[in-house]
Amino acid sequence: QVQLQESGPRLVKSSETLSLTCAVSGYSLTTGYYWGWIRQPPGRGLEWIGSIFHSGSTYYSPPLKSRVTISVDTSKNQVSLRLSSVTAADTAVYYCARVNYYGSGSNWRPNWFDPWGQGILVTVSS
Amino acid sequence: QSALTQPPSVSGSLGQSVTISCTGTSSDVGSYSRVSWYQQPPGTAPKLIIYEVSNRPSGVPDRFSGSKSGNTASLTISGLQAEDEADYYCSSYTSSGTYVIFGGGTKLTVL
């Protein structure tokens, strides 16, 4: 049974960098699939941040691309997210999820997200 | 387009059926069969309930069904149960350059 668990600081100061880790158990990252981050501001909808393959291949949401770095550590079987220059608008529950996908390069197409981690609320303070 | 369009709320009585719509464009829902639906009870993480328009993952009751016509996908829940009360989100691949687009979410109330 695949399980994902997000961890990291729950309070980040404005203009600093948000850093989170997603530990994956029950499934080796090197087996396949992309692994993604999705966030949800309080009381609002879902927003895809980006996804990564165990090889390091990444795809990012264009509006966030300049501030986002997603990395993978296959030895620890975990995926990490870094979001720089945060503001109050980055306050959200951050989820990691396994990504079913099709294709590669310019033909990469994410299909669905399953399973999801329980999420972690990160608050940006001024 | 920043989000797929869903009704903010729907309601139905126990045992009845409800349908939640998800309207996109020819850049997403209308051109690709990569529509998925997620159920999110209060305070919990989203859970996949429909993928590729109409397929149910193992363990999801057959009361949940999905379909698509043109630029609009739909989720139908039949035989409503109290535990179906949750927020529901649709999602699609998009060729607009942002890869993934979600709907704004629909709150289902079971009366």
Side-chain angles (χ1 to χ4, degrees), chain A residues 40 59 62 95 110-113 117, chain B residues 34 38 40 45 51 89 97 100:
Chain A
Q40 184 174 34
Y59 295 90
Y95 297 100
N111 291 334
W112 63 84
F113 302 93
Chain B
R34 303 183 190 280
Y38 302 89
Q40 186 179 33
Y51 65 95
Y89 292 90
V100 179

Side-chain angles (χ1 to χ4, degrees), chain B residues 65-81:
Chain B
S65 62
S67 62
K68 189 185 82 163
S69 177
N71 293 339
T72 298
S74 298
L75 171 71
T76 298
I77 309 171
S78 59
L80 275 175
Q81 300 183 4

Side-chain angles (χ1 to χ4, degrees), chain A residues 28-30 53-56 71-79:
Chain A
S28 172
L29 296 183
T30 59
F53 199 61
H54 64 80
S55 64
S71 58
V72 62
D73 186 334
T74 55
S75 66
K76 295 181 179 179
N77 216 47
Q78 62 186 31
V79 177

Side-chain angles (χ1 to χ4, degrees), chain A residues 40 44-46 48 59-60 62 95 102 108-114 116-117, chain B residues 32 34 36 38 40 44-46 48 51-52 89 93 97-100 102 104:
Chain A
Q40 184 174 34
R44 299 182 63 182
L46 301 166
W48 175 71
Y59 295 90
Y60 296 129
Y95 297 100
Y102 168 84
W108 184 74
R109 297 178 182 181
N111 291 334
W112 63 84
F113 302 93
D114 178 61
W116 296 57
Chain B
Y32 304 96
R34 303 183 190 280
S36 52
Y38 302 89
Q40 186 179 33
T44 70
L48 176 72
Y51 65 95
E52 290 182 332
Y89 292 90
Y93 166 77
T98 58
Y99 296 108
V100 179
F102 284 98

Side-chain angles (χ1 to χ4, degrees), chain A residues 7-126:
Chain A
S7 63
R10 296 174 182 269
L11 187 64
V12 181
K13 291 183 178 180
S14 182
S15 80
E16 296 190 344
T17 297
L18 177 159
S19 296
L20 297 174
T21 297
C22 173
V24 179
S25 59
Y27 192 90
S28 172
L29 296 183
T30 59
T31 302
Y33 286 101
Y34 271 75
W35 302 83
W37 289 94
I38 302 104
R39 70 179 182 179
Q40 184 174 34
R44 299 182 63 182
L46 301 166
E47 178 183 22
W48 175 71
I49 299 170
S51 297
I52 190 166
F53 199 61
H54 64 80
S55 64
S57 170
T58 53
Y59 295 90
Y60 296 129
S61 171
L64 296 171
K65 187 174 183 178
S66 64
R67 298 194 292 129
V68 172
T69 302
I70 297 176
S71 58
V72 62
D73 186 334
T74 55
S75 66
K76 295 181 179 179
N77 216 47
Q78 62 186 31
V79 177
S80 297
L81 168 71
R82 289 173 57 86
L83 180 65
S84 64
S85 305
V86 298
T87 69
D90 295 310
T91 293
V93 176
Y94 286 77
Y95 297 100
C96 60
R98 187 173 66 178
V99 185
N100 183 286
Y101 73 100
Y102 168 84
S104 62
S106 61
N107 200 36
W108 184 74
R109 297 178 182 181
N111 291 334
W112 63 84
F113 302 93
D114 178 61
W116 296 57
Q118 66 182 29
I120 181 170
L121 173 61
V122 179
T123 301
V124 177
S125 68
S126 56

